[in-house]
C-alpha cells in the first residue's frame, strides 16, 4: 500500500527541521543550557505530535482500505498502531 502523506505533515516536519537548525545555531552562539534544552523540548513535543498524526492518518487509510475490500476486522491494525505509538516513546 502506498502512503499518502499530507502536505500539512510535510510542512510540520520542515518546521521541526528549522527548529533543529535553530537549536544548533543557539549552541554555536553559546546560549545557555536552559535555553537550548527548552528548544529541544519543543522539538521533541513537535516530533511526538507528528508521529501521532502519521500513525493516526495511516490507521485511518488502512481501515478505509480494508472496509472497501469488505473486511470489517480491523482489530489487528489498531493493535499495530498502538504498538507503534508505544514504541515511539
Amino acid at each position: 500500500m502506498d502512503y499518502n502523506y499530507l502536505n500539512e505533515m510535510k510542512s510540520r516536519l520542515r518546521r521541526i527541521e528549522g527548529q533543529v537548525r535553530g537549536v544548533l545555531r543557539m549552541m554555536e552562539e553559546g546560549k545557555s543550557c536552559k535555553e537550548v534544552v527548552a528548544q529541544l523540548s519543543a522539538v521533541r513535543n513537535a516530533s511526538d505530535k507528528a508521529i501521532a498524526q502519521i500513525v493516526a492518518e495511516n490507521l485511518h487509510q488502512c481501515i478505509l482500505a480494508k472496509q472497501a475490500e469488505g473486511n470489517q476486522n480491523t482489530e489487528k491494525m489498531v493493535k499495530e498502531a498502538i504498538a507503534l505509538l508505544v514504541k515511539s516513546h
Side-chain angles (χ1 to χ4, degrees), residues 53-76:
Q53 183 65 38
I54 288 170
V55 171
E57 185 60 33
N58 177 57
L59 178 61
H60 179 82
Q61 289 178 18
C62 288
I63 287 173
L64 290 178
K66 286 287 185 187
Q67 289 174 340
E69 294 170 0
N71 186 345
Q72 299 299 319
N73 186 6
T74 57
E75 184 177 343
K76 181 180 177 187

Side-chain angles (χ1 to χ4, degrees), residues 31-86:
K31 299 290 183 180
S32 74
C33 173
K34 184 178 179 179
E35 291 175 287
V36 170
V37 170
Q39 287 305 308
L40 282 173
S41 292
V43 169
R44 180 179 57 202
N45 290 337
S47 178
D48 286 346
K49 288 179 183 177
I51 290 168
Q53 183 65 38
I54 288 170
V55 171
E57 185 60 33
N58 177 57
L59 178 61
H60 179 82
Q61 289 178 18
C62 288
I63 287 173
L64 290 178
K66 286 287 185 187
Q67 289 174 340
E69 294 170 0
N71 186 345
Q72 299 299 319
N73 186 6
T74 57
E75 184 177 343
K76 181 180 177 187
M77 286 186 292
V78 171
K79 286 181 181 180
E80 288 173 354
I82 291 170
L84 273 175
L85 290 173
V86 170

